[in-house]
Structure formats: structure tokens, C-alpha cells
Amino acid sequence: MELLYNPDRMPEEEIKATFVAREALIDALVELVKGQPDGAGMQHAVIIAPRGMGKTTVMLMVKFAIKDRGLADQWQVVKFPEESYGIYDLADLWIETLELIAADTADTELRQFADSLKIKYPNNGELQEAAYAALKDWRRKHGKRLLLLVENFDQILEQINDERDNARLRDVMMNDDTLMLLGGATTFFKEARAYDQPLYNFFKIYNLHDLRFEQMQELLRRRAERDHISGFEKKLKQNISRLHALEYFTGGSPRLVLMLYRVVTQSDVGEVRRALEKLLDEVTPYYKAKIEILPPQQRKILDHIARSSGQTGEGLTPKEIAEAVRLSPNQVSTQLKRLSELGYVQAANLRGRSSYYTLSEPLYAIWHQMRFGRNARERMHWLVLFLRLWYSIEDMKMESWRLERRFRYHLKTNHTQKAQDILEHHRYLMEAMVDTPLRLQAMERIIHGHLALKDTSTVKTELLPEISLSDLPDGLLDKLVEADCLNQKRATLAKAIKTKLASASSDLEKEYEAIMGVVASAALEEDYAEVLYQLEKLPNIKSENKFYYWALRGGALLGIGRDNEALTCIDQALKLKPDEPTIWTARGQLLTELGLHEEAIASYDRALALSPDEPNAWFLRGTAFYHLNRYEEAIESLDRGLAINPDAERAWIERGVTLVHLHRYEEAVTSFDHVPTLSVDANPDNYLFEVIRSIALINSGRYEEALSSCDKVLNIKPHDASTLCHRGGALFGLGHYQEALENLDQGLKIEADNSEAWRIRGLALDKLGRPEQALASYDRALETKPNDDSAIWFNRGNVLEDMGRYEEAVANYDRALELDPGDGDAWYNRGIALEGMGRYEEAIASYDRALELNLGDGDAWYNRGFACLRWFVKLGKQEKFDLAREKWNEALACGEKSNDEDWPEEVTRALLEVAKSGHLSFARQLIAESKMEERLFPLARAVDYLQTGDEALIEKLSPEVRGIVEEVVAKLKPMA
């Protein structure tokens, strides 16, 4: 029995018997071992491949080959386990090697010696040297070099995470011939690829490629032979088309091929479904492991691609992904490149214009659908895709008949649930059919089956919307009317269409007119499936009518979401009639759906050049600008459209949302107010718009209204996480910090990745005097939004500054300013923190930047002046009088601009400090030069007295002033 996740627990002969495709690699690796030189210059290697590609098996085969090819007397193979979680430095690596040698050779003394080293040398550096010396001693004693087969070598280096240890490892491997390292890794790890790393370009790299079709068949043969499955070769030949499907779904991964091979011989839809569901359950740990090793942003991007491709079967552009996952396009492009290098996604090209991305492993998309689909049909969409590739047309035909017979048997024997299950399987098979007549036959059988079970709800809501009624036999139409699944009018119309088309079939002109009549009626009713179905029946089309054909076909395809095909049709229509504004507008709408917003705008401009008063084109143009983050232009376009049609509610809503992005919140609220039906009071389904409105209200400072808006939403959706968090924000704005905290905590329990909620929670905790908890909250905010939210870094800096942790505060302000260099408040607060550290020159430069961004800010001038005063004191005490005078004058200029009443006191304190340091004359000169003798009179008179000894200078003062001067004299007298 194959062990998919623990192949090293399989018997040696079984591993050898089922090993395929990598024989040449084993030969190359063994030759590399044989060719190693004595002394320095050993060549080390790493095998790189995603999980499941067979790295462990290759290493085991190398181990077996060392023994089988007579190299065991020269080399001791040391096979590390797949997970080496205990290795966190180089000492751990050498100790683990000693213990593995002891286990393989049953050497208890060596094991005891390794244990004693750990006790004798508690210092890592000493233990590392002693352990490696022990390995060299073992090599000399036994005359064997060591071949280390290290699984997940990249993970071990990540655990060590020390360039010094990496440099020591390089030194050992480069200058000593004791050991050779053959590692395995899932990616080309940074320690080996980064130019500044000690192990850069150090290893010979081997890549494991996907199994080719022939190699995949050989793997299945060997596995079947080992499992004693008779006649498997015949089954392979009978299922050759299914093997191609197997290749598509597995991507050539040996582990996945072995997982799917048990499905190869199944033919019954129900059996295939059960086998696949079991398989998808079994691959859960495999895919969870693959996804969980990725950083959070990469996981989020991959999750969105899987969700989208599972629904549409199409790839996504970086721009579309960025909008959906709320990251910048540059971030998404960088992460997509990395995911592509790692083998998770692959890029394709859309009409030569822009790249779009799909999953590299289709089976992962299927697993994702099964595990995360939002409803039963969505979760089972994977089965339709699988069946489409799994069955040939003839197979589908035979399986459809077989399912019909089984249904009749269960119906006859009153096995209702089993009959229902058969119908469900039959429906999945029908959805997979691409042959139209066969699909119609299967649909008829399924409809008859549901009618027999009196399941009219499924017929009305799920089956009839998928088919043209004119394709159904008259007898079945009558049955549908009897069962109240169809009204008589629609049944009569369907029969009339069939009759009309049948009678016109001999006359092309009449047939064309009949079909176009049906098409026009269906288009008005937005029955796009009927439009497409009838258009396919059209006979030769006259050149003057081709425009309508392409336009109608494009519109229908657009209506059912087949955007790429619709665009091709619309371009054909425009070649015939380039001056048709409605078609240019439709083209723009399609391009917007495809994420090609620049081209969409060009199409809308063509439409508006032909018809400037078409509001819909203006509205759609505004939407395209919005998707490009060109919000001002979006508003301008929406306003042009609203001037023509002020009743367009959707446009007012889009305008409001766009204004929120522009931080023009008051205008956004006014825009939303143009849509009275927007409120949840009018329609509970509007709760999402009420949520957006509450954001605008909060940021407008209209907290009471925002609170009311949030409460309306919570009456409908009491557990809506974002609204609970917004309510917390409104309460914070009202100063109700504890209540705000409670609401934020409720919301974050439901949706823990809301970075703005974590930020506001930090603000509330800071206001409540809980700074350490505030920092923890900001840290959680940064976990979900680390790179593009300057406010979080700014708020975190504020808390650290209040705690007196100035150096950390400056680092946080610096990070905020990297993201938003125009944040004057961050420059200002940064200056305060630098001042707290005594770094006055840097503080002044920071205040200068704040003042550039917010001229006339009195607080900034005051703080800048204060920093100049502190610098002045420092220079004065150092007797650098010229520089000190320069900073003094700067400080006075700042003080005048600050208009702060406390400023003379700050000046007095600074001068007093300089005077107390023994520089009375210098202080007196500055008072005279400053023309502030009147305001600084007590200090000036005290200095004059100390310099002259003239008692009269004090005696003639009024008692109040005399007391102040004598107090200053007392402070300065020791320095006189």
C-alpha cells in the first residue's frame, strides 16, 4: 500500500518497484557523490520542487543506490526526517547528525556522547565546534565520509535565521571533506539566491519536473502491479482519454497521480463522485500544508484566484485581483510573480494586451470549491468540470441511459431518496454535456423524473430557466402546464415558435424573418439563452443585416456573462456600423467588465462624441475612472451624466462612494441623500449602502447620525462585523471610549482582519490609559495591513512617545512618513520625540518639514523655538558662543511666530541655565541684544548686580520685584 505522506516508512523493495521517471537524476546524484574530491572543494546540492513531487522518494533512492552500487564502505548516509523542527542553530544540526548516525548504526556510546556534549557545552558556539569535531572523529575512526540527506533544508535555514551560522556552514562545506549535503526544498530559498547571503550560489540545483503522460502511465502500471490489480493494462487502454484528464487535474504531480489513480476505472457517476469526494478529503492536509507555508498576502491572493476561477473558469488580471483583495497593484504584481515562481499560479495573455493569472493545479481549484463554496451547487461545480473531461460523448450517452434505467427501477420500488440521488447525478452529467441534442435528451429525462417525484419546485426554479422551451416536445410542455410549472400562454408561445420555424425552414427568407422575430421578442424579455439559441439557427445572412446579428449576439453574450465572446461580436458590429453610439457604450461596458478600463474610457468617449447627451455613457465612464482610482475624473463624468438625468439613483450612489475615496465625506453624505430609497428604512436589502453612508458620517464628525445609521443596519444584521466596528468608531468620536471598545471587540471577534477597527481600538485603549494594550492593538492592525496604512504607524508612535520610548516612537513616525511623506502631524510629532532624546538638530529639521506642510502652525513654531533653546543651552555650556547665539536668535524668531504667552518663561529658563553654568556676561549680552530687557528684567537686574556688586541696583526695587530678583541672585551667586 502506498504511503503518500510517509514514503520512507514503505519497504525498500516497494519504493524501488514504483519508482519512475527520475532514474537519470539518481544516476547524476550518485556520480556527484562518487566524484567528490579529497579535501576542499566538495560540491553540495539541493533538489527543488513543490510538495508532492517526490523529493523524499528521490533521496531514499539515492540512499539505496549508495548501498547497491558499492559505495557504502566509503559513505555513511544520514537521512534526516521530513520535519526537523528542533534544529534552530548550527549546533543543533551537528548534534542531530550525531544522533542519526548513532540510531542508524545502533551505536549507544555515540548517542550517550552526543547527550554529554549538550551538558558539557551550554554555549552554542562551543557546542557547535565540539559537535562538528565529534563528526570528524567519527569519520577518521570509521573511514567514511558523511552524506547528509536533509529534507526541507529551506525550512531548517529559516529556523536557524542567522547569517553567522550560515557563513560557518559554508566554511565547513567548502573547506572540509567530512560531509556532503544533499538537501530538499520547496522553493529556491533566499539564503541561496540572495546576493548578500553567505550561501549565495553555493549549491548545485536540481529541479524535479512534472511527470509526462507516458511517465504517469508507467507509475500507474507499477502501482497497480504492486497492488496486484489484474488486467490493469487493459483498463489503461480503455481509459486513455481519462488519463489525459488525470494529467490535467494533477499537473503531473506523482502524489496526486497516485491519489487519483483509483478513480481511473470508475464509470458510474455516483461512484466517480464518491471517489472524488474521498480524494478531495484526503488531499486536504496536502493543500493546507501548501497554502499555510505562504505569507498572508500570498494566501489571500491565491484564495481569491481559486474562488473566482472556480466560478468562471477564467483567469484574473493583477488589477482585478488588487481591487478584490484591497492591495495595491504593485503589491499584487510582486506577489503574483513570486507565486508563479513557486508554481502556485501561471500567467497567460489576453489578446496580446495584459496578463491574467490562473491556478497551476486545477485540482486545487476543485478542492477549494468543494471546501469553500458558498452553496451546494457552487460546491459541486467541480464535479461538472471533472465529468466534462472524464467522459467521452459516447460515454455520456451510455451513462445517461443507464442512469435513466436505474431511476425507473428505484421509482418503481419506492426507493424515493435513491431515485432523487440518481436525478442529481444525472443533472451533473447533463451540465457537463457539450453535445446539444444529447444535452436536450438528458434534460427531458431529468424533467420527467422530477415530475414523477412531484418535485415541481426544482423544475420551475432550476431546470426550465436553463433551456429554450421551444426545444421541448409538445407532450412535455403539456405535462409542465398540468403540473403548474408553466403557464398556458408560455407553452402556447413555445409551440407557436416551433411551428413557425418548422414551416419556414424551406424558405430561407421566411426562416430568417421568423427567427429574427423570435430573437427580437426574446431580447426584449432579456431571455438571452433563447436569443443565442435562435441566432445559431439563422440561415445565410444578408450583408445589410449582419450588423444586427452581431449586435444582438454580443448583447446576449454580455447578458449571460460571456464577456470575451461578447466583445468579439461587438467589434464585428462596429466594423459594419462605426457610428452607432449605443454599441460603443456596450463595448465600453464590456471592457470595464474585463478590467480594461483605459480602453473602456476610449469607447465611452467615442460614444459621447456621437451622442453627447447620453447619460448612461457618462455614468459608465465615471465607473471606469473609479476603477482606475482617478476619482476626480470619475466625479466629473458622473456629474455630467446627472446634469442630464438627475434621477439616476445608481449614479448618485457611485458618486457618494467615490467621494468617500476622496475623503470628501460631507459631499458623500449629500450625494447619498439624493437616494431616498437607499436607507434600510425603505428597503432592508440596502444595508450595505447604509454601512458606506455611516463611514461618511463618521468621517464628517456627525457621530450621532452615524450611530443611528449603524443601529439601523444592526437591527437587520445584528452580527455584521464591519457595522459593529463602525459603531465603535462613532462612539469613539463621541468620547464614549469604553462603549467603543466593547463594540469594536464584538466586531473583531467576527472579522479579525479589520485593520482600521484594530487601529481605532488602539486609540480607545490609549484614551483609557492602557498604552501597552493599545500597542498590542496597533500590532494586530499591522498584521493585516502592514504596508499601506500610515495612520497605524503614526498612532503607534504617539503611544510610544507618551510612554517616553522616544527612539521607538521616531522609528514608527519614520515608517508612517515613508507611506505618507506629506503628513505634517507625523513630522511634528517626530520632532517632539527627537527633542525628548536630545537630538535637537534633527528635531528642528522635522519641525521645518511640518511647517512647510502647514505654515502658520503656532504649536510647531513654539516647539521649534523650544528645541532651538535647548540646543542653545547645550552650546552655551560648551562655550560655543557663536553657534549658541545663532540658535538663540532662531529661538526668539520662532517665539514671535508662536504668539504663546508662556514663551518669555521658556527664554528665561534657558538663559538662567546658561548663566548658572558660569557665563553671566554672555547671558547679559544676549538680553541686551534681544531687546527683551523689560520682559527679562529680573534676570537682567540679577546679572547686573552680580557683575558690579552695586547693592543699590536691588535696594531701589519695589518689594515684589526685589523678591524675584533676590531669588534669581541666589540661584546664580555660586556661579559669579
Side-chain angles (χ1 to χ4, degrees):
M1 180 185 73
E2 76 273 20
L3 295 173
L4 299 172
Y5 296 97
N6 297 284
D8 45 3
R9 293 175 57 190
M10 292 166 58
E12 179 179 335
E13 63 274 14
E14 184 171 354
I15 296 172
K16 290 178 178 178
T18 56
F19 185 73
V20 298
R22 319 289 195 199
E23 292 87 354
L25 175 59
I26 301 303
D27 292 340
L29 291 171
V30 172
E31 287 302 313
L32 184 65
V33 174
K34 289 171 63 177
Q36 295 289 10
D38 294 326
M42 294 272 279
Q43 175 68 68
H44 306 270
V46 174
I47 302 168
I48 293 178
R51 292 180 182 275
M53 291 301 293
K55 297 186 296 297
T56 300
T57 306
V58 166
M59 287 191 178
L60 289 169
M61 289 297 291
V62 168
K63 178 180 179 180
F64 302 151
I66 294 297
K67 178 185 65 176
D68 296 343
R69 302 186 192 186
L71 298 174
D73 58 342
Q74 303 168 43
W75 291 88
Q76 175 68 38
V77 180
V78 183
K79 171 72 170 63
F80 281 63
E82 188 167 353
E83 286 83 22
S84 298
Y85 298 128
I87 299 177
Y88 273 81
D89 53 38
L90 200 51
D92 289 335
L93 180 64
W94 300 143
I95 289 291
E96 179 74 4
T97 305
L98 285 169
E99 291 177 347
L100 289 170
I101 294 171
D104 287 346
T105 59
D107 189 337
T108 55
E109 289 185 12
L110 182 61
R111 177 57 187 267
Q112 291 169 358
F113 180 68
D115 290 340
S116 71
L117 288 178
K118 290 185 279 188
I119 298 170
K120 185 176 181 181
Y121 299 102
N123 177 274
N124 282 340
E126 294 176 355
L127 178 60
Q128 178 195 131
E129 291 179 9
Y132 189 70
L135 290 173
K136 295 177 72 171
D137 287 343
W138 190 94
R139 182 258 172 107
R140 282 192 295 270
K141 180 178 178 181
H142 295 85
K144 291 184 179 184
R145 291 196 277 185
L146 304 174
L147 174 58
L148 307 189
L149 304 180
V150 185
E151 295 266 17
N152 291 318
F153 184 51
D154 52 339
Q155 185 184 74
I156 289 175
L157 290 177
E158 184 180 350
Q159 290 169 184
I160 292 175
N161 193 26
D162 188 322
E163 288 190 18
R164 291 170 300 177
D165 270 5
N166 291 347
R168 294 187 192 103
L169 178 61
R170 178 188 175 95
D171 182 63
V172 165
M173 293 193 295
M174 191 165 72
N175 298 311
D176 193 346
D177 66 349
T178 297
L179 59 86
M180 170 188 168
L181 188 145
L182 174 59
T186 55
T187 64
F188 190 28
F189 43 95
K190 67 178 177 63
E191 290 83 0
R193 73 169 187 274
Y195 182 78
D196 60 345
Q197 293 291 317
L199 294 172
Y200 169 70
N201 206 22
F202 187 70
F203 298 98
K204 185 177 180 66
I205 300 298
Y206 294 90
N207 292 293
L208 290 186
H209 299 291
D210 303 337
L211 294 182
R212 296 191 301 275
F213 186 63
E214 297 78 11
Q215 295 168 336
M216 189 181 74
Q217 291 183 78
E218 183 58 27
L219 175 60
L220 294 177
R221 286 190 190 94
R222 295 194 183 188
R223 186 68 257 169
E225 182 179 351
R226 187 72 193 178
D227 292 343
H228 307 293
I229 298 176
S230 60
F232 190 76
E233 186 65 36
K234 181 179 178 182
K235 291 176 183 176
L236 274 183
K237 291 178 181 177
Q238 291 173 342
N239 289 278
I240 199 71
S241 62
R242 295 183 184 177
L243 289 178
H244 284 293
L246 192 64
E247 182 184 31
Y248 168 77
F249 283 111
T250 63
S253 165
R255 180 179 290 167
L256 294 180
V257 169
L258 288 173
M259 285 180 164
L260 268 173
Y261 102 101
R262 287 166 293 187
V263 187
V264 169
T265 58
Q266 303 294 336
S267 58
D268 177 88
V269 175
E271 292 172 6
V272 170
R273 175 178 170 179
R274 282 187 290 274
L276 282 172
E277 286 176 331
K278 185 174 186 296
L279 166 68
L280 294 172
D281 182 62
E282 289 173 350
V283 296
T284 293
Y286 169 74
Y287 281 125
K288 278 174 61 65
K290 283 194 69 170
I291 304 311
E292 288 170 2
I293 63 170
L294 295 175
Q297 283 189 358
Q298 291 180 13
R299 286 205 300 267
K300 188 172 187 178
I301 289 168
L302 197 69
D303 178 80
H304 179 67
I305 296 173
R307 287 182 190 279
S308 180
S309 62
Q311 293 170 0
T312 67
E314 297 178 354
L316 295 168
T317 65
K319 177 72 172 175
E320 291 170 329
I321 297 169
E323 290 174 354
V325 300
R326 304 188 304 282
L327 294 172
S328 71
N330 286 342
Q331 286 176 298
V332 168
S333 295
T334 299
Q335 299 293 14
L336 285 170
K337 182 180 178 184
R338 186 73 182 124
L339 286 169
S340 180
E341 291 171 352
L342 295 172
Y344 286 84
V345 301
Q346 57 189 7
N349 193 267
L350 179 64
R351 298 194 306 281
R353 290 187 177 93
S354 58
S355 294
Y356 68 94
Y357 287 81
T358 58
L359 296 173
S360 297
E361 285 188 31
L363 190 62
Y364 172 66
I366 286 179
W367 175 80
H368 194 283
Q369 272 183 350
M370 184 273 290
R371 192 168 175 84
F372 300 109
R374 291 184 171 87
N375 55 59
R377 297 301 297 178
E378 187 178 310
R379 285 193 293 273
M380 293 305 294
H381 181 70
W382 57 268
L383 183 60
V384 174
L385 174 62
F386 192 91
L387 294 174
R388 186 168 294 156
L389 293 170
W390 200 246
Y391 286 105
S392 66
I393 292 176
E394 191 59 34
D395 288 337
M396 286 187 177
K397 182 178 180 180
M398 297 301 296
E399 183 65 8
S400 179
W401 276 111
R402 197 179 66 79
L403 288 171
E404 174 67 11
R405 289 196 300 273
R406 288 183 61 193
F407 170 77
R408 293 298 166 191
Y409 170 77
H410 289 306
L411 185 66
K412 185 177 180 179
T413 55
N414 292 320
H415 295 150
T416 306
Q417 186 56 54
K418 289 183 178 179
Q420 190 75 43
D421 291 343
I422 295 295
L423 281 182
E424 185 180 7
H425 295 150
H426 204 164
R427 186 172 168 191
Y428 287 125
L429 182 70
M430 180 273 295
E431 290 176 7
M433 292 174 176
V434 293
D435 181 80
T436 302
L438 186 60
R439 184 186 177 95
L440 287 172
Q441 290 174 12
M443 177 61 91
E444 288 177 34
R445 292 172 186 148
I446 294 165
I447 292 173
H448 278 295
H450 281 286
L451 291 176
L453 290 171
K454 295 183 171 38
D455 178 14
T456 57
S457 175
T458 299
V459 175
K460 286 191 289 187
T461 61
E462 298 182 21
L463 298 178
L464 293 185
E466 295 183 4
I467 194 170
S468 170
L469 294 176
S470 61
D471 285 328
L472 297 178
D474 288 355
L476 182 51
L477 289 170
D478 292 337
K479 272 194 169 187
L480 289 168
V481 172
E482 290 174 18
D484 199 26
C485 294
L486 191 66
N487 62 47
Q488 186 63 58
K489 183 179 177 181
R490 289 193 68 195
T492 302
L493 178 61
K495 292 177 184 178
I497 289 173
K498 284 196 295 181
T499 303
K500 191 172 185 180
L501 293 175
S503 64
S505 60
S506 60
D507 185 326
L508 289 180
E509 189 69 27
K510 287 182 179 179
E511 183 178 1
Y512 176 82
E513 290 176 4
I515 292 175
M516 287 303 288
V518 173
V519 166
S521 300
L524 286 172
E525 296 294 326
E526 297 185 357
D527 189 348
Y528 302 119
E530 188 73 51
V531 171
L532 291 171
Y533 185 80
Q534 297 298 340
L535 284 174
E536 291 300 324
K537 294 181 177 180
L538 280 176
N540 295 328
I541 305 168
K542 293 181 180 180
S543 59
E544 64 267 25
N545 292 322
K546 284 184 179 178
F547 167 78
Y548 298 106
Y549 169 83
W550 289 116
L552 284 165
R553 182 173 174 78
L557 289 165
L558 176 62
I560 61 174
R562 289 161 60 180
D563 298 337
N564 287 310
E565 298 170 76
L567 185 59
T568 301
C569 293
I570 285 177
D571 284 344
Q572 289 289 340
L574 285 169
K575 285 180 183 177
L576 298 166
K577 276 196 176 184
D579 296 331
E580 187 62 48
T582 56
I583 305 301
W584 281 110
T585 300
R587 185 177 189 274
Q589 192 173 357
L590 262 173
L591 290 164
T592 298
E593 291 290 330
L594 292 167
L596 303 172
H597 305 300
E598 293 281 5
E599 293 180 55
I601 291 166
S603 279
Y604 297 135
D605 287 344
R606 286 291 299 271
L608 290 165
L610 295 163
S611 179
D613 295 329
E614 174 48 52
N616 194 45
W618 286 112
F619 297 149
L620 291 168
R621 184 174 179 269
T623 301
F625 277 123
Y626 171 85
H627 285 300
L628 290 169
N629 300 331
R630 291 160 62 178
Y631 301 124
E632 293 287 359
E633 292 166 279
I635 292 293
E636 182 184 349
S637 197
L638 289 166
D639 284 347
R640 289 288 299 271
L642 286 165
I644 301 165
N645 179 15
D647 298 324
E649 292 190 348
R650 182 70 195 179
W652 283 112
I653 292 169
E654 288 194 15
R655 186 177 186 275
V657 172
T658 307
L659 287 165
V660 167
H661 281 282
L662 287 167
H663 308 299
R664 290 158 58 182
Y665 301 110
E666 289 281 3
E667 294 175 75
V669 174
T670 302
S671 198
F672 290 140
D673 287 344
H674 275 82
V675 190
T677 57
L678 179 64
S679 168
V680 290
D681 295 332
N683 183 352
D685 291 339
N686 288 337
Y687 78 93
L688 283 175
F689 295 113
E690 192 77 54
V691 169
I692 298 170
R693 186 172 180 274
S694 71
I695 295 171
L697 287 165
I698 289 169
N699 286 281
S700 299
R702 294 161 63 175
Y703 302 119
E704 293 286 0
E705 293 173 77
L707 206 59
S708 173
S709 188
C710 290
D711 287 342
K712 289 178 183 179
V713 175
L714 291 170
N715 283 336
I716 300 165
K717 298 276 186 179
H719 303 296
D720 186 73
S722 61
T723 304
L724 285 165
C725 293
H726 294 151
R727 192 175 193 278
L731 288 164
F732 175 83
L734 290 167
H736 304 324
Y737 304 127
Q738 186 59 46
E739 292 176 74
L741 194 61
E742 291 166 6
N743 274 251
L744 290 162
D745 285 344
Q746 282 180 280
L748 288 166
K749 280 181 183 177
I750 302 166
E751 187 180 282
D753 62 350
N754 187 331
S755 64
E756 180 63 8
W758 284 111
R759 185 182 76 83
I760 296 171
R761 183 177 184 271
L763 290 171
L765 287 162
D766 190 26
K767 291 287 187 182
L768 290 166
R770 293 148 68 180
E772 291 290 355
Q773 290 174 266
L775 286 176
S777 197
Y778 292 138
D779 289 342
R780 286 298 303 272
L782 289 169
E783 285 177 17
T784 57
K785 203 172 186 179
N787 296 319
D788 59 354
D789 197 327
S790 61
I792 301 171
W793 292 103
F794 175 79
N795 296 142
R796 197 174 188 280
N798 286 348
V799 176
L800 290 163
E801 183 181 304
D802 291 341
M803 296 170 73
R805 292 160 62 177
Y806 298 121
E807 190 166 353
E808 294 173 77
V810 170
N812 277 254
Y813 293 136
D814 285 343
R815 189 73 185 91
L817 289 165
E818 282 178 26
L819 299 165
D820 184 6
D823 186 347
D825 290 335
W827 285 111
Y828 174 72
N829 284 23
R830 182 178 183 270
I832 295 172
L834 287 164
E835 200 173 312
M837 297 164 66
R839 290 158 60 179
Y840 304 119
E841 185 173 6
E842 294 173 76
I844 290 167
S846 206
Y847 291 135
D848 285 342
R849 287 299 302 277
L851 287 163
E852 286 173 18
L853 296 162
N854 189 15
L855 288 175
D857 189 318
D859 286 344
W861 283 116
Y862 181 93
N863 281 83
R864 188 186 190 281
F866 186 79
C868 288
L869 284 177
R870 299 319 303 160
W871 199 359
F872 152 73
V873 171
K874 183 178 180 181
L875 292 167
K877 288 179 178 179
Q878 294 172 353
E879 300 184 0
K880 297 178 180 178
F881 297 124
D882 288 341
L883 290 173
R885 178 177 275 104
E886 183 181 319
K887 291 302 152 192
W888 164 259
N889 290 327
E890 250 187 271
L892 295 184
C894 291
E896 288 179 9
K897 293 177 181 177
S898 74
N899 295 316
D900 194 288
E901 293 179 359
D902 295 333
W903 182 246
E905 294 181 18
E906 300 291 356
V907 172
T908 301
R909 276 194 286 268
L911 276 172
L912 189 61
E913 280 194 62
V914 171
K916 283 171 67 176
S917 66
H919 304 300
L920 295 176
S921 297
F922 179 58
R924 189 65 183 87
Q925 288 173 20
L926 293 178
I927 293 172
E929 291 170 5
S930 69
K931 300 178 182 179
M932 294 177 66
E933 286 197 55
E934 184 178 343
R935 299 174 74 180
L936 300 174
F937 177 79
L939 177 58
R941 182 53 55 92
V943 172
D944 289 342
Y945 166 74
L946 289 170
Q947 287 183 319
T948 64
D950 186 354
E951 296 285 349
L953 292 172
I954 295 179
E955 288 175 354
K956 62 183 180 181
L957 296 173
S958 66
E960 300 84 13
V961 176
R962 181 176 179 175
I964 297 171
V965 172
E966 287 177 340
E967 189 178 326
V968 174
V969 168
K971 291 178 181 178
L972 293 177
K973 203 164 190 177
M975 308 299 163

